[in-house]
Amino acid sequence: MTTKKEIAISIENLHKTFRLPHEQHSGLKQMVIGALRRNRKKGYELHHVLKGLDFEIEAGDFFGIVGRNGSGKSTLLKTLAGI
């Protein structure tokens, strides 16, 4: 006889996308030089980090999040925490 545990966290179809600007300035000088250039790329590029993520964690369960650099681990935790 198995008893169903209470669901502590339930995620369905989670998506997260960032806009990455084509130009990034680390100082005032670079910003001025970038503004003077005529052939610069304007706008941004979409970067999809979480795509259709589904999972459930039952109350009392231990779990780990494992993945390569840039795979979305911190983004997932920040999204769950509402940051």
Side-chain angles (χ1 to χ4, degrees), residues 39-83:
N39 61 349
R40 66 178 188 219
K41 270 183 144 179
K42 293 183 181 178
Y44 57 87
E45 183 177 331
L46 289 178
H47 183 67
H48 304 282
V49 257
L50 302 174
K51 300 176 190 174
L53 188 61
D54 297 316
F55 67 89
E56 287 183 347
I57 301 169
E58 296 177 345
D61 281 354
F62 288 92
F63 69 99
I65 300 172
V66 180
R68 296 178 147 200
N69 289 345
S71 64
K73 301 178 300 289
S74 295
T75 301
L76 171 61
L77 292 173
K78 288 177 183 178
T79 303
L80 290 175
I83 298 174

Side-chain angles (χ1 to χ4, degrees), residues 23-35:
E23 280 190 23
Q24 293 185 0
H25 309 293
S26 61
L28 183 61
K29 180 180 175 182
Q30 287 181 341
M31 188 169 57
V32 170
I33 291 172

